[in-house]
């Protein structure tokens, strides 16, 4: 009854089960083993396990391990739980397996029970995930390099424009010309701020983004945004009017660059419907 029960368990197991004796000969070989390795039960019973399912590059190690166990009882794989190895099919293809080896006593002496699971699909999926991860990391690195180069190349001419504007003496100019030059200068600084913000993407990815808090005039910042965006608003038949809600807004403590960036995005979306 016990043998029948064991045979039923072996025959219905989803994992390949290979039972060998101390001489390495196969004594039991279930249906899952036939599917995994390609040998029929008739071919496997009585054959040397090493000849059938162990890849050539593992045979020497297997032979030395068995000899060591038979001589002094020391072992590395037996009763050590699941280990990942490679096995060989009938057509000589080598594939990855989860392998577990246990020992037991039988009427004919000590036997070794090997449980083998084909993990080819899992290993392929892991390799695909690793390849995708490596591509993503490489892409992020290329993006960071591109951002660094682009921000540098854009800052150079912008600094040249802003430096030239500072050399212009506004005193002899008409008030309207002075106002327009002021708008150009402020817009240039805003654009330079946007270029610098490109670098913040890399800082955000690295978790190194920080706030640069300082005291500043919020109403002046709002006026700067209003003036710089007025032309774009007029182009879309809109008008920007600044009405500060409170005189206490003149002096605030925060990060003016971040506030400017947020408000510019909001105003730009408001006056340019196609950006929304």
């Amino acid at each position: 009854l016990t043998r029948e029960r064991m045979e039923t368990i072996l025959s219905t197991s989803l994992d390949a089960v290979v039972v060998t004796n101390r001489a390495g000969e196969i004594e039991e070989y279930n249906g899952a083993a036939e599917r995994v390795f390609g040998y029929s039960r008739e071919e496997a019973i009585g054959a040397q396990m090493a000849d059938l399912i162990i890849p050539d590059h593992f045979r020497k190690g297997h032979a030395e391990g068995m000899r060591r166990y038979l001589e002094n009882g020391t072992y590395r794989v037996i009763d050590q739980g699941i280990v990942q190895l490679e096995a060989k099919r009938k057509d000589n293809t080598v594939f990855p397996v989860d392998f577990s080896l246990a020992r037991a006593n039988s009427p004919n002496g000590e036997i070794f029970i090997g449980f083998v699971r084909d993990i080819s699909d899992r290993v392929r999926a892991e390799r695909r995930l690793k390849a995708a991860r490596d591509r993503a990391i490489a892409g992020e690195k290329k993006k960071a390099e591109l951002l660094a180069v682009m921000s540098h190349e854009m800052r150079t001419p912008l600094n040249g424009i802003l430096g030239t504007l500072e050399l212009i003496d506004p005193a002899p100019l008409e008030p309207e010309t002075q106002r327009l030059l002021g708008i150009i200068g402020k817009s240039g600084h805003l654009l330079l701020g946007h270029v610098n913000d490109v670098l913040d993407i890399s800082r955000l990815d690295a978790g190194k983004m920080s706030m640069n808090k300082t005291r500043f005039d919020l109403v002046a910042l709002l006026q700067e945004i209003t003036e710089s965006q007025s032309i774009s608003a007029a182009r879309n038949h809109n008008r920007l009017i600044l009405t500060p809600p409170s005189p206490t807004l003149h002096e605030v403590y925060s990060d003016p660059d971040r506030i400017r960036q947020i408000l510019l995005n909001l105003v730009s979306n408001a006056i340019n419907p196609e950006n929304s």
Side-chain angles (χ1 to χ4, degrees), residues 105-259:
N105 292 318
S106 74
N108 297 324
E110 188 177 33
I111 57 174
F112 303 95
I113 308 166
F115 300 87
V116 185
R117 176 173 297 177
D118 184 352
I119 58 171
S120 299
D121 292 340
R122 189 182 81 193
V123 170
R124 279 194 293 268
E126 290 173 351
R127 287 173 179 168
R128 285 196 295 268
L129 285 173
K130 185 178 182 297
R133 182 204 64 188
D134 292 343
R135 287 195 298 271
I137 292 174
E140 288 298 314
K141 183 179 179 181
K142 290 294 184 182
K143 182 184 76 173
E145 293 173 352
L146 175 63
L147 292 177
V149 172
M150 288 295 294
S151 61
H152 174 73
E153 295 300 324
M154 294 174 70
R155 272 200 304 259
T156 301
L158 269 174
N159 284 325
I161 293 172
L162 294 174
T164 302
L165 282 173
E166 292 177 358
L167 296 176
I168 298 176
D169 182 7
L173 302 176
E174 296 181 358
E176 179 63 14
T177 303
Q178 292 180 17
R179 188 181 73 83
L180 293 176
L181 282 175
I183 293 175
I184 293 173
K186 291 174 181 177
S187 297
H189 283 290
L190 287 175
L191 182 56
L192 183 60
H194 288 319
V195 172
N196 291 330
D197 288 338
V198 171
L199 294 178
D200 289 342
I201 297 174
S202 300
R203 297 192 187 103
L204 280 170
D205 290 342
K208 297 179 179 179
M209 191 67 179
S210 61
M211 299 283 286
N212 297 315
K213 294 184 178 181
T214 185
R215 294 188 181 278
F216 66 97
D217 188 332
L218 181 58
V219 174
L221 185 146
L222 294 174
Q223 184 66 41
E224 172 189 318
I225 293 173
T226 303
E227 291 179 351
S228 67
Q229 297 298 306
S230 292
I231 296 176
S232 295
R235 191 180 298 117
N236 289 282
H237 309 291
N238 293 314
R239 278 200 313 154
L240 289 178
I241 300 175
L242 174 62
T243 306
S246 170
T248 59
L249 287 176
H250 276 279
E251 186 176 332
V252 296
Y253 181 74
S254 185
D255 187 331
D257 293 331
R258 298 288 164 259
I259 291 179

Side-chain angles (χ1 to χ4, degrees), residues 20-21 23-27 42-52:
T20 62
N21 55 29
E25 298 170 344
I26 297 176
E27 293 190 353
E42 290 73 21
E43 291 176 297
I45 296 297
Q48 283 288 321
M49 182 190 69
D51 295 337
L52 261 63

Side-chain angles (χ1 to χ4, degrees), residues 52-119:
L52 261 63
I53 67 175
I54 295 182
D56 295 343
H57 56 283
F58 280 150
R59 286 189 186 176
K60 182 179 179 181
H62 169 73
E64 291 178 353
M66 286 301 299
R67 177 185 56 76
R68 186 170 55 249
Y69 175 77
L70 295 175
E71 288 179 356
N72 53 39
T74 59
Y75 51 85
R76 295 179 181 175
V77 178
I78 301 173
D79 297 328
Q80 297 301 305
I82 298 174
V83 296
Q84 186 169 327
L85 296 172
E86 289 180 330
K88 184 182 70 171
R89 304 187 203 277
K90 185 178 181 178
D91 62 4
N92 288 323
T93 58
V94 176
F95 62 102
V97 297
D98 275 345
F99 178 69
S100 178
L101 184 64
R103 53 182 176 165
N105 292 318
S106 74
N108 297 324
E110 188 177 33
I111 57 174
F112 303 95
I113 308 166
F115 300 87
V116 185
R117 176 173 297 177
D118 184 352
I119 58 171

